[in-house]
Amino acid sequence: FVVHLLIGFVFVVSGLIINSIQLCTLVLWPCTLFADRATVGHFGKEHVVIVLNHNFEIDFLCGWTMCERFGVLGSSKVLAKRELLYVPLIGWTWYFLEIVFCKRKWEEDRDAVIKGLRRLAGYPEYVWFLLYCEGTRFTEKKHRVSMEVAASKGLPVLKYHLLPRTKGFTTAVQCLRGTVAAVYDVTLNFRGNKNPSLLGILYGKKYEADMCVRRFPLEEIPLDEKEAAQWLHKLYQEKDALQEMYNQKGVFPGEQFKPARRPWTLLNFLFWATLLLSPLFSFVLGVFASGSPLLILTFLGFVGAASFGVRRLIGVTEIEKGSSYGNQEFKKKE
């Protein structure tokens, strides 16, 4: 019984830490959208595929922020690397939320990805499906290798992005036709050339995010796989131009919108924190009051396991500790 309580304590504390991170982004972060009014009018009212640049450690949190503020956080999905499945707590949660996982080897991923996409096609709520078409986070080394591949294929050189991998995008578009209404191209930056981190959020640092959003109706994307791949390459050339403009002027083109914060995330966090932490604190006091060395050491061991789980989550987000995927894989044929 005591062991079960300790395991419950680990999961609850880990969950509250992760929820605290999410709370900081969803409630406290200022975020500005650059888009036309018609595009913003579609938010939260249709199934979409989102193409986001993968330059920052916490770009996924910015995605969560937008999903929450337009009421689709519960039905937001992503094509994620399979390694994330084994991250304590969050990976297991994503599994039950029907996140589509891949090994980033198309020959092995094809069937699993298609199956996951077809499952999303029948989803009862509006789905925002996120794709990182670059396949891995931007680093100078990966960019150098990626541009060597671009040159060998006769593709224009990108300054701020890696060469997009087209298989996942073309497959998603094909599988979700008839369900998805549009593709949202999103280019993310942070004001003041800041490079935020998950640890920075935990330390209370404030970041201001700018997101340029462009909406492309799905019927504008070619049916043919090769033509759809060419369309994606052209999109990334445009994203590169948007990034250049932001670096020079500090803003994206388009009208500016500040999505309203919703109070429900804060109220939800406070409710569960009050409900769960009150008995847990009583339990912790009981453990130390018992005077049992075995019980106290066991408790500290489980607390250490919770700390390891959270540190593992943070480590996954750190660019310098990211995977080597892309350093050599870009040299292989897609």
Side-chain angles (χ1 to χ4, degrees), residues 106-107 133 153 163-167 233 332-334:
W106 184 245
E107 295 77 11
C133 293
K153 293 184 176 183
L163 190 67
R165 294 171 176 268
T166 61
K167 288 292 185 182
H233 283 300
K332 299 179 182 178
K333 191 174 182 180
E334 278 190 283

Side-chain angles (χ1 to χ4, degrees), residues 299-310:
F299 170 76
L300 293 176
F302 276 97
V303 171
S307 301
F308 171 79
V310 173

